[in-house]
Amino acid sequence: MMPVHPLIHRLVILTLLSMCASPGLAQTVESNSLKTFIAKSDLIFDSRLRFELVDQDGFDEDAQALTLRSRFGFETASFHGFKALVEGDFTRDLGVNDFNSTVNGKTGFPVVVDPDSERLNRLQLGYHRKWDGASLAATVGRQRIKLDDDRFIGNVGFRQNEQTFDAARLQISPFDGLTVDYSYIWQVNRIFGSNSANKTADADSHLINARYETPWAVITSYAYLLDLEDQLASSASKTFGLRMAGTRNLFDDWQIAYGAEFANQTDFGGNPENFDLNYIMGKAGFTRGGLSFDAQIERLEGNGRRGFTTPLATLHAFQGFADVFLVTPAAGLRDIQTKIQYRWRNVSKLGDVRLSAWFHDFSATQTQDDLGEEIDFGLFITPRKGITFSIKYADFFGADDKPSLRRFWTGVDVKF
């Protein structure tokens, strides 16, 4: 299990001592409100059983991984605005383990980054207060941080071992519609699990995200100053950006969606390189009933030595499920994608059913070279709240020096 940062340890102890010393707490115990406090606290259970198959050109054997990840924890009820949360998780393969987990030494198989692991996933102390249309929230400790659509900062929730942050976070909403979010991160707890040399990375980093909701769009400006160390040192950077995303109802059963984003990234902190790269995204789509269609172009520049990086993002959600472009090529990456989806609600005993398909066309921004194409499919069935069955398939058709790759997943998620 990963050691708890000394600051977290001290904060938790001091807070618990102050709460216990409070006359208000003594009155709560005497009035039997402590039982109510305990009754309103929540247990955390989140488990995923999944099988993954990888067929990759260049390997004689396919990878097969049957893994189980479970999280158990507890979140207290609110006491004078304070809440505490603790959560541990473990991941194990269930005997079907012909895959390179990055720590098991099976390099003759394709990579599936779901290694055996056991660790403290979250340990946080939070405070929340509302008054006169304003609100303040603060969280200190090991926590999950997700900003906007996870394109720059996320928890990599698709992998069995998620990414969390040892951080102090402050969220202030001075009036309805505006939220200013600031986080200081001193350690990244990565997806490679408790047994990896790359399980953590030091991060003297600052995240600033200001979000304003208008009737026609959500507008976000951000500054991410990532002074990363260890295996992420080459990704140290400062990124400033502006994002817009919104929807509008056209008719009773028609809705359009649109979005645009621009960001500039330069070297920062201990990164010895000198670079100046841009990120551009534009998207549009529509929804009618259960049918939706989206088209998007995403452009991450490269200068021939490196590409625009998003080292703390939930990368699986972007550039295709095959995970070929987890690192942007040195010549950059342009991804033109389309998505079509149909959602059925309350289908007999199946509950909600969602069927999705994506198409990606990849090329380099600097050289215009063809980097391949990809087709993705997903079927998601939610018979009841907290239970989801899923089937996903990704087929990447390589070009130039990129090998073709096929991935298949099936699994079930249970949480409450």
Side-chain angles (χ1 to χ4, degrees), residues 128-137 171-175 178-179:
H128 185 256
R129 182 184 175 189
K130 288 185 176 181
W131 70 97
D132 297 332
S135 67
L136 178 148
Q171 296 165 280
I172 300 174
S173 179
F175 52 84
L178 176 65
T179 302

Side-chain angles (χ1 to χ4, degrees), residues 228-247:
L228 304 170
E229 299 182 18
D230 305 310
Q231 70 278 7
L232 290 177
S234 63
S235 297
S237 63
K238 56 183 176 183
T239 303
F240 298 91
L242 184 66
R243 168 186 171 85
M244 178 274 291
T247 59

Side-chain angles (χ1 to χ4, degrees), residues 177-237:
L178 176 65
T179 302
V180 180
D181 193 322
Y182 168 76
S183 298
Y184 172 70
I185 300 173
W186 60 82
Q187 180 172 283
V188 182
N189 307 298
R190 307 192 68 205
I191 65 172
F192 301 103
S194 60
N195 302 308
S196 172
N198 297 325
K199 62 185 178 182
T200 63
D202 288 340
D204 183 10
S205 300
H206 305 265
L207 312 177
I208 304 168
N209 184 289
R211 171 189 174 101
Y212 183 64
E213 299 182 19
T214 74
W216 55 272
V218 176
I219 300 173
T220 307
S221 63
Y222 52 84
Y224 303 139
L225 283 63
L226 308 182
D227 190 1
L228 304 170
E229 299 182 18
D230 305 310
Q231 70 278 7
L232 290 177
S234 63
S235 297
S237 63

Side-chain angles (χ1 to χ4, degrees), residues 3 12 19 165 262 268-269 306:
V12 172
M19 289 168 64
F165 303 92
F262 174 82
F268 183 69
R306 63 176 292 130

